[in-house]
Amino acid sequence: MAFPSVYSPRYHANSEMHFIDLNIFYQKEEWSLTVQFETLWHKTLGSSLQSAIINNPNATQSVEMIAEIVRNCLSSVIHPNLEKHYYDTKNTNLAVCSRIRGNKMLDKSVKRLNEAIVLYNESLSDTQANSEERSLAYANRSIVCLQLHRYEECLENIRLARESNYPARLAEKLNQREAVAKKALAKALKQDAERMEEEPKEELRLSYPGHEHMPHVANCLQLQQNEQYGRHVVTTRRLKVGDVMMLDTPFVKTLQEDCRYVRCDFCHAERPFTLIPCEGCTWVMYCSAECLSKAYDQYHRYECGVMRDAYSVCGRFPATALRATATAISIFDGDLVALQNHLDALDESRVNGFTMDWRTATPKDVYNTVHVLPTNQERRGLVDHTYQILVAILLHKAMVERIELGPKCKASPKMDKFLFDLILRHVQTIRCNHQLLSFYEGQPQEKYFEYKLYGAACYPSVSMLNHSCASNVRRLYLADGRCAMIVIRPIDKDCQLFDSYGLHHLDDDRVLRQRVIQLLFNFQCSCEACTHNYRTFKELSFQYGGDFTLISHIQQEGIYETLATRNRKLALKIMRELQTDLNRKHSRYPSYDVCGKMRCYELSLSLVYVSESFLYCRKCTGILELQHLHPESLS
């Protein structure tokens, strides 16, 4: 039986340190940048910094000094991958190529409709407004929708094609397709009305009353601070498995690159059949004009044309940091002076998300709770600190060159420096306080679930929780964007809630966990799993042996196979049974039996509370008998 990992993708160990370590804990898209950084360091940067430090031993944390040396090294050494900028403009030739590739996916011998949708969306992102090429992409997308019996989406694409000046010479084909879709939709609506209504999905609510001033957090949670743990969250009552303790809303979130043509960049809903492009760049798409407008007002105005660079050159977390910066600027209506004055007057020691009244909080108040999140700058080594500054320099340069605030920053060194400092702060806080958004994707015609990432986010309240490699709470990302914190191991009164920062003893051994945590989050983990050297799940399966392990394995396999049917009623029944079992057997943790059932429980949570609408690939490829198109139907 193949249990999926419920935690973040695994990091891989390496025997050497320093730059190889950077490649370990940065995500795949950032590897090329760390390689370029290593080259830059060995050629000029490292020796220049060492000389400066010898002359000024207190300069190791001097951002100004390090930034100046990095800029000088960048200007004196040719590093194409660091200095290149993809000016993110519409490209009709690329749009045509993507549309033609999409057409090939509809061929009878290929029959890959899900890939056709993605390619048509890619084509749309490269088209100009009201262009024939855009209208053709919408029209071809309507064909796929019709074949998948998604008649409403088919009609929506026909409408979009006409609004984009669909050529009159092809109008008859569109009219015929519209008539077929309308007739089929009317029939489908009649059949749906005659069917019994589907069982409503379970709605997730807090298990206890929320704080009066913080309704998204259970009132038994308190924020405390001491020398050992710093800021941390404790409970004033005993908590049991299944208790929902937080329902937090993200301050900022970004999509994984491979989800850009599948999900809405603003609400993250999976709407591949009706996405519309941003008119200013090729990087984001939206499920509606409303989401496009909200995104522009809330952040995209100050990142449009920069996000492709931020992600492609720097990686996922720097791109999220860029969006956090754009969001902060938008909150102050693009007034950098007002934003700087606000932050200069802010008493960071008095900002407390657990005492702030969230019912009346303004966007500025919410931003304060994110701005004061730890940067860990003082804990970073010279190499890591310099790398963060390099990332900030690249993002800053792209923003100044491309967004509307650029001329003001160029005219005012003070504002230019403030923007750089703001970017650097967010680069550091997002790396320490990010959450990777994920879901379980059911594989076509297989009783198997695969753990998938679809984005990254920063949740202000969730970020207050400390890490443990044997966490007692679990994050569950809901369809509306909120993050639910659910208890997965009983927690005694006055004890701390521990989240997992992406490393868990069931997945990775202690040496690797501690190494990556030190590198990524700049602390030495001393949780119970590290203190007692808890086994990985694979090791647990061999540790006990005998009939007990065999019986437990058979039980878990039966649970998992039942969950793989994707029947929500059965998943709910199993979820409740597992809650009872885990509450009763919690003292046996970390036994194979308890850990295996805990994993099954976490999967059941996802099936019960998270919509399966994201499984469009499975639904597309699962349609085996399609009415194939004649070549002349395509544009």
Side-chain angles (χ1 to χ4, degrees), residues 364-426:
K364 294 179 182 179
D365 295 327
V366 176
Y367 173 64
N368 290 344
T369 67
V370 174
H371 184 79
V372 301
L373 290 173
T375 65
N376 289 346
Q377 178 173 310
E378 69 286 351
R379 298 182 182 181
R380 300 186 192 281
L382 180 61
V383 173
D384 187 18
H385 188 40
T386 305
Y387 179 81
Q388 302 304 315
I389 292 174
L390 169 64
V391 169
I393 287 173
L394 295 176
L395 294 179
H396 171 261
K397 180 177 181 179
M399 288 190 77
V400 170
E401 286 180 352
R402 300 176 208 179
I403 68 172
E404 62 188 71
L405 296 177
K408 294 181 180 179
C409 290
K410 291 178 181 179
S412 171
K414 181 180 178 181
M415 286 299 97
D416 191 58
K417 180 181 182 303
F418 170 70
L419 178 61
F420 171 77
D421 290 342
L422 188 66
I423 293 170
L424 177 60
R425 184 175 188 117
H426 289 142

Side-chain angles (χ1 to χ4, degrees), residues 277-300:
C278 168
E279 299 298 353
C281 70
T282 66
W283 191 252
V284 296
M285 301 190 78
Y286 303 97
C287 66
S288 64
E290 180 183 4
C291 278
L292 185 152
S293 177
K294 288 181 177 179
Y296 185 82
D297 291 339
Q298 294 181 26
Y299 57 82
H300 194 58

Side-chain angles (χ1 to χ4, degrees), residues 31 51 169 179 211 225 245 272 339 394 470 553 584 608 623 628:
W31 289 355
S51 299
R169 68 182 185 277
H211 282 276
Q225 184 157 355
M245 307 311 297
L339 175 54
L394 295 176
H553 177 83
R584 182 168 55 88
V608 170
I623 299 176
H628 298 291

Side-chain angles (χ1 to χ4, degrees), residues 180-465:
V180 172
K182 284 183 176 180
K183 183 177 179 180
L185 177 62
K187 182 178 179 181
L189 291 174
K190 182 179 179 180
Q191 292 175 344
D192 289 343
E194 294 173 352
R195 294 182 188 137
M196 185 180 299
E197 291 189 7
E198 184 182 347
E199 181 86 10
K201 189 176 64 176
E202 291 286 315
E203 183 178 352
L204 207 59
R205 297 184 178 90
L206 292 179
S207 298
Y208 307 100
H211 282 276
E212 182 179 354
H213 61 280
M214 190 169 49
H216 63 285
V217 177
N219 62 8
C220 59
L221 298 188
Q222 294 183 348
L223 185 66
Q224 297 185 358
Q225 184 157 355
N226 59 31
E227 186 175 344
Q228 180 182 4
Y229 292 110
R231 288 194 300 185
H232 58 283
V233 178
V234 300
T235 175
T236 59
R237 62 173 295 162
R238 177 176 169 77
L239 304 178
K240 60 186 183 299
V241 174
D243 285 345
V244 182
M245 307 311 297
M246 288 184 182
L247 290 168
D248 200 9
T249 300
F251 172 77
V252 63
K253 58 184 179 180
T254 55
L255 280 177
Q256 189 91 338
E257 182 177 10
D258 56 6
C259 294
R260 293 187 297 119
Y261 303 129
V262 175
R263 290 176 179 265
C264 172
D265 186 76
F266 180 76
C267 69
H268 282 196
E270 190 174 80
R271 299 287 185 270
F273 306 103
T274 54
L275 290 177
I276 58 176
C278 168
E279 299 298 353
C281 70
T282 66
W283 191 252
V284 296
M285 301 190 78
Y286 303 97
C287 66
S288 64
E290 180 183 4
C291 278
L292 185 152
S293 177
K294 288 181 177 179
Y296 185 82
D297 291 339
Q298 294 181 26
Y299 57 82
H300 194 58
R301 177 180 179 179
Y302 300 106
E303 63 168 36
C304 187
V306 185
M307 280 299 285
R308 176 175 288 278
D309 253 3
Y311 205 109
S312 301
V313 176
C314 299
R316 177 196 298 132
F317 300 142
T320 308
L322 171 67
R323 180 157 294 174
T325 305
T327 302
I329 294 172
S330 295
I331 289 172
F332 288 82
D333 297 322
D335 190 341
L336 289 180
V337 175
L339 175 54
Q340 184 176 33
N341 291 338
H342 173 82
L343 295 179
D344 288 344
L346 183 65
D347 184 352
E348 295 187 15
S349 65
R350 302 190 64 178
V351 178
N352 187 328
F354 271 66
T355 58
M356 184 176 79
D357 193 338
W358 288 82
R359 298 167 302 175
T360 58
T362 65
K364 294 179 182 179
D365 295 327
V366 176
Y367 173 64
N368 290 344
T369 67
V370 174
H371 184 79
V372 301
L373 290 173
T375 65
N376 289 346
Q377 178 173 310
E378 69 286 351
R379 298 182 182 181
R380 300 186 192 281
L382 180 61
V383 173
D384 187 18
H385 188 40
T386 305
Y387 179 81
Q388 302 304 315
I389 292 174
L390 169 64
V391 169
I393 287 173
L394 295 176
L395 294 179
H396 171 261
K397 180 177 181 179
M399 288 190 77
V400 170
E401 286 180 352
R402 300 176 208 179
I403 68 172
E404 62 188 71
L405 296 177
K408 294 181 180 179
C409 290
K410 291 178 181 179
S412 171
K414 181 180 178 181
M415 286 299 97
D416 191 58
K417 180 181 182 303
F418 170 70
L419 178 61
F420 171 77
D421 290 342
L422 188 66
I423 293 170
L424 177 60
R425 184 175 188 117
H426 289 142
V427 165
Q428 296 182 104
T429 56
I430 291 298
R431 203 187 88 175
C432 299
N433 301 277
H434 69 271
Q435 289 84 33
L436 296 177
L437 307 179
S438 60
F439 63 88
Y440 285 112
E441 182 179 72
Q443 298 305 302
Q445 301 179 353
E446 295 180 16
K447 294 181 178 180
Y448 177 71
F449 286 90
E450 186 176 352
Y451 182 84
K452 292 279 190 177
L453 296 179
Y454 68 88
C458 180
Y459 292 85
S461 299
V462 169
S463 295
M464 296 293 101
L465 273 64

Side-chain angles (χ1 to χ4, degrees), residues 11-12 14 16-28 30-39 41 380-388 390-391 431 515-516 519-520:
Y11 302 92
H12 298 286
N14 206 303
E16 300 181 18
M17 293 294 285
H18 303 303
F19 298 103
I20 294 179
D21 287 329
L22 287 173
N23 289 336
I24 293 171
F25 64 78
Y26 284 107
Q27 300 300 319
K28 182 178 180 181
E30 295 180 72
W31 289 355
S32 61
L33 180 58
T34 62
V35 170
Q36 291 294 320
F37 173 66
E38 180 179 359
T39 303
W41 181 276
R380 300 186 192 281
L382 180 61
V383 173
D384 187 18
H385 188 40
T386 305
Y387 179 81
Q388 302 304 315
L390 169 64
V391 169
R431 203 187 88 175
R515 181 180 176 189
V516 174
L519 288 166
L520 188 55

Side-chain angles (χ1 to χ4, degrees), residues 411-571:
S412 171
K414 181 180 178 181
M415 286 299 97
D416 191 58
K417 180 181 182 303
F418 170 70
L419 178 61
F420 171 77
D421 290 342
L422 188 66
I423 293 170
L424 177 60
R425 184 175 188 117
H426 289 142
V427 165
Q428 296 182 104
T429 56
I430 291 298
R431 203 187 88 175
C432 299
N433 301 277
H434 69 271
Q435 289 84 33
L436 296 177
L437 307 179
S438 60
F439 63 88
Y440 285 112
E441 182 179 72
Q443 298 305 302
Q445 301 179 353
E446 295 180 16
K447 294 181 178 180
Y448 177 71
F449 286 90
E450 186 176 352
Y451 182 84
K452 292 279 190 177
L453 296 179
Y454 68 88
C458 180
Y459 292 85
S461 299
V462 169
S463 295
M464 296 293 101
L465 273 64
N466 280 337
H467 165 80
S468 171
C469 300
S471 54
N472 52 24
V473 294
R474 160 87 162 110
R475 290 182 238 135
L476 184 67
Y477 300 107
L478 307 179
D480 61 8
R482 293 179 300 165
C483 175
M485 296 301 296
I486 302 176
V487 177
I488 57 173
R489 296 175 58 199
I491 307 172
D492 288 333
K493 179 182 177 181
D494 298 325
C495 288
Q496 190 174 166
L497 277 68
F498 285 106
D499 188 14
S500 168
Y501 289 0
L503 292 128
H504 198 279
H505 77 88
L506 292 179
D507 294 318
D508 299 298
D509 63 53
R510 181 172 61 180
V511 173
L512 177 58
R513 296 197 313 270
Q514 292 199 334
R515 181 180 176 189
V516 174
I517 288 170
Q518 179 65 54
L519 288 166
L520 188 55
F521 301 104
N522 309 105
F523 70 89
Q524 183 70 31
C525 186
S526 58
C527 70
E528 62 173 289
C530 290
T531 301
H532 301 293
N533 197 17
Y534 286 173
R535 306 302 183 193
T536 65
F537 192 73
K538 183 177 181 180
E539 291 170 337
L540 286 172
S541 65
F542 297 107
Q543 181 180 5
Y544 294 99
D547 293 339
F548 175 78
T549 299
L550 178 60
I551 293 171
S552 177
H553 177 83
I554 294 173
Q555 289 176 342
Q556 292 172 33
E557 189 173 50
I559 293 171
Y560 191 72
E561 288 183 354
T562 302
L563 292 175
T565 64
R566 306 177 184 88
N567 184 306
R568 186 169 279 120
K569 286 184 178 179
L570 290 176

